[in-house]
Amino acid sequence: MRNYTTQMDAARKGIVTPELEKVAEKEKMTVEELQKLVAEGKVAICANKNHTCLDPEGVGSMLRTKINVNLGVSRDCKDYDIEMEKVMSAVNLGAEAIMDLSSHGNTQPFRRKLTSECPVMIGTVPVYDSVIHYQRDLATLSAKDFVDVIRMHAEDGVDFVTLHCGITRKTIEQIKKHKRKMNIVSRGGSLVFAWMCMTGEENPFYEYYDEILDICEEYDVTISLGDACRPGCLADATDVCQIEELVRLGELTKRAWDHNVQVMVEGPGHVPLDQVAANMQVQKSICMGAPFYVLGPLVTDIAPGYDHITAAIGGAVAAMNGAAFLCYVTPAEHLALPNVDDVKQGIIASKIAAHAADIAKGVRGARDIDDKMGDARRKLDWEAQYACALDPDTARAIRDSRSPEDDHSDTCSMCGKFCAVRSMNKALAGEYIDIL
């Protein structure tokens, strides 16, 4: 029988949960070290008590940087089997979280399938599902309707929910006054904004925040405080709308912690490279070290088809400066729903960014695999190199498709017998070095 409500409540009571013990082992930390961070809110272990197949992970700037993958069906792409194929591909490639952003059809069976079969963290954005669940236009929904959908997602086993609690009726005037180039690009944020405009009422996720906290505490659901005013282009980065919302998210973080509810805070968006580190520091200060979950950041606006690279550049700098969680971006960003290959490309790019940042900030054991790769390359041990690779199949396929001639099969076809590693190995062993 659980004698605690949430992972944060357990940590504050000195209770070592199975999830905390597992995460500590993965992060090469002592239970005591991790427990303190969870109690303070600097690490979130997103673990709904109804997600029984979960292999738990911790999210925090001092831990390994985690990757989230957005998936889900839409009106134009509504094959749940294909989405499930993407889910399993993402898990196999090392994603630590899946966000189901489905916006069409009966979403509950797919969501329940995820929380009954998928071992990684599952997140949702309940405001999307509200229109779909009730099959009614946005303006006809009540605040109670939105809150009831949050409860349904919590009961279904979702580990974290993105809630756009930080925009209020004041935001409507700000958006009109400051004339941003891209206005609001957050899908959930735009729905909340539209609902407020049409009904004249306050943001229900802000107005009924205490009731929402009671639900999240009951099921141990982590709140991911959505950044409705994240910049959608470089021109809007770090403007008054973004920062004013962030200040409110800091206040909401404190209120959640007072309920023992874990929090992550979502961040920008499109940000010039020279502003990324500053954004991380501002968030860390305003939100008291709560884990930062960044969407990109994308450091230029002109690379549709290659935005997985754009985001990986920003993601590496963000994570190196304190971001804990990277939301992947695929080559299809801004263009289409990603297919299976897009998902793979997005995950690999984000994993590279996350790993590079972990090495830079000195996460325990982060560089071990790189050192093994160095040894394997010095020995020209190709099987050992594949074993160290982030994507062994692709590495093997490239070498096999352009293999070297038999008389220098220990090298690759780039340098052949001019290979520096081969020459040095032979020279240091006192052997003759044949080139021709």
Side-chain angles (χ1 to χ4, degrees):
M1 194 73 177
R2 281 171 64 133
N3 52 351
Y4 57 90
T5 54
T6 67
Q7 294 293 323
M8 174 177 269
D9 181 43
R12 288 172 169 177
K13 290 176 175 175
I15 298 169
V16 178
T17 67
E19 293 83 7
L20 184 126
E21 202 164 29
K22 186 75 176 286
V23 172
E25 182 183 346
K26 288 181 178 181
E27 300 290 345
K28 298 180 170 59
M29 301 178 81
T30 66
V31 164
E32 292 75 19
E33 286 175 309
L34 183 61
Q35 192 173 58
K36 180 175 184 292
L37 294 170
V38 174
E40 293 172 347
K42 292 178 181 175
V43 167
I45 300 176
C46 309
N48 187 315
K49 67 180 187 180
N50 288 346
H51 189 179
T52 54
C53 66
L54 177 70
D55 184 8
E57 294 282 359
V59 181
S61 64
M62 61 297 299
L63 311 183
R64 289 177 295 109
T65 306
K66 306 305 187 300
I67 301 297
N68 172 69
V69 169
N70 289 341
L71 295 169
V73 299
S74 66
R75 183 178 294 275
D76 294 313
C77 301
K78 48 196 175 208
D79 190 322
Y80 282 109
D81 290 335
I82 290 176
E83 287 310 296
M84 205 63 202
E85 182 184 344
K86 293 178 191 175
V87 168
M88 298 322 296
S89 173
V91 172
N92 291 336
L93 284 166
E96 286 89 8
I98 300 289
M99 282 201 81
D100 176 17
L101 305 187
S102 294
S103 59
H104 179 80
N106 185 1
T107 59
Q108 191 170 48
F110 183 65
R111 184 167 58 250
R112 287 181 172 176
K113 187 175 178 65
L114 287 175
T115 57
S116 63
E117 297 180 15
C118 189
V120 303
M121 294 179 279
I122 304 298
T124 59
V125 187
V127 70
Y128 297 174
D129 198 36
S130 298
V131 175
I132 306 306
H133 176 71
Y134 294 109
Q135 285 295 294
R136 288 172 20 217
D137 275 338
L138 189 64
T140 69
L141 298 177
S142 67
K144 182 179 183 302
D145 291 333
F146 291 120
V147 174
D148 286 347
V149 169
I150 294 172
R151 178 174 291 280
M152 179 176 67
H153 284 217
E155 290 171 349
D156 287 344
V158 166
D159 301 298
F160 64 98
V161 288
T162 291
L163 303 176
H164 298 87
C165 307
I167 57 171
T168 64
R169 293 201 59 78
K170 178 183 175 185
T171 309
I172 297 174
E173 299 309 313
Q174 280 187 328
I175 292 293
K176 290 177 178 177
K177 178 182 177 182
H178 291 286
K179 300 189 186 307
R180 298 177 115 198
K181 191 177 287 291
M182 284 293 293
N183 297 313
I184 286 178
V185 299
S186 159
R187 187 163 69 174
S190 71
L191 293 174
V192 174
F193 188 93
W195 187 87
M196 287 193 292
C197 288
M198 290 188 289
T199 63
E201 295 185 33
E202 184 54 277
N203 178 355
F205 301 104
Y206 180 73
E207 187 173 4
Y208 296 96
Y209 190 61
D210 287 331
E211 187 175 336
I212 291 167
L213 290 176
D214 289 340
I215 295 169
C216 292
E217 186 174 21
E218 181 181 352
Y219 292 92
D220 197 359
V221 175
T222 300
I223 292 181
S224 187
L225 288 168
D227 54 335
C229 293
R230 70 175 180 266
C233 62
L234 299 188
D236 294 338
T238 326
D239 69 356
V240 67
C241 295
Q242 178 194 335
I243 298 302
E244 195 269 347
E245 182 186 25
L246 184 62
V247 170
R248 189 166 290 112
L249 297 185
E251 297 167 0
L252 293 168
T253 296
K254 177 67 166 61
R255 285 172 61 186
W257 287 349
D258 288 344
H259 275 71
N260 291 316
V261 173
Q262 300 181 106
V263 171
M264 301 184 290
V265 178
E266 296 184 13
H270 292 238
V271 182
L273 194 56
D274 63 312
Q275 294 182 29
V276 173
N279 268 263
M280 302 306 109
Q281 293 303 317
V282 168
Q283 186 275 345
K284 196 182 301 183
S285 175
I286 291 175
C287 298
M288 301 154 288
F292 205 13
Y293 173 21
V294 296
L295 312 175
L298 280 75
V299 295
T300 180
D301 296 332
I302 62 165
Y306 300 91
D307 275 330
H308 58 310
I309 298 172
T310 308
I313 295 168
V317 176
M320 182 176 70
N321 285 280
F325 203 13
L326 302 182
C327 187
Y328 91 147
V329 172
T330 77
E333 185 77 10
H334 301 111
L335 301 171
L337 189 76
N339 62 25
V340 173
D341 186 61
D342 293 330
V343 169
K344 177 179 178 179
Q345 294 300 321
I347 292 171
I348 293 296
S350 292
K351 293 291 284 186
I352 293 168
H355 184 65
D358 290 348
I359 293 168
K361 62 185 181 182
V363 169
R364 294 175 192 179
R367 213 189 70 186
D368 291 355
I369 192 70
D370 297 80
D371 292 342
K372 287 181 181 178
M373 179 66 91
D375 290 335
R377 283 180 171 155
R378 185 187 70 250
K379 298 171 184 174
L380 293 170
D381 184 338
W382 296 97
E383 289 302 321
Q385 289 180 55
Y386 300 144
C388 294
L390 200 58
D391 180 5
D393 293 343
T394 296
R396 185 187 298 275
I398 290 173
R399 175 168 165 79
D400 288 350
S401 69
R402 283 156 269 173
S403 56
E405 295 179 4
D406 289 342
D407 70 335
H408 56 94
S409 59
D410 55 337
T411 71
C412 78
S413 56
M414 173 72 183
C415 298
K417 289 186 177 181
F418 281 85
C419 173
V421 177
R422 176 180 182 272
S423 296
M424 287 302 299
N425 287 347
K426 287 181 174 291
L428 292 173
E431 299 175 11
Y432 180 78
I433 303 157
D434 58 315
I435 298 296
L436 296 177

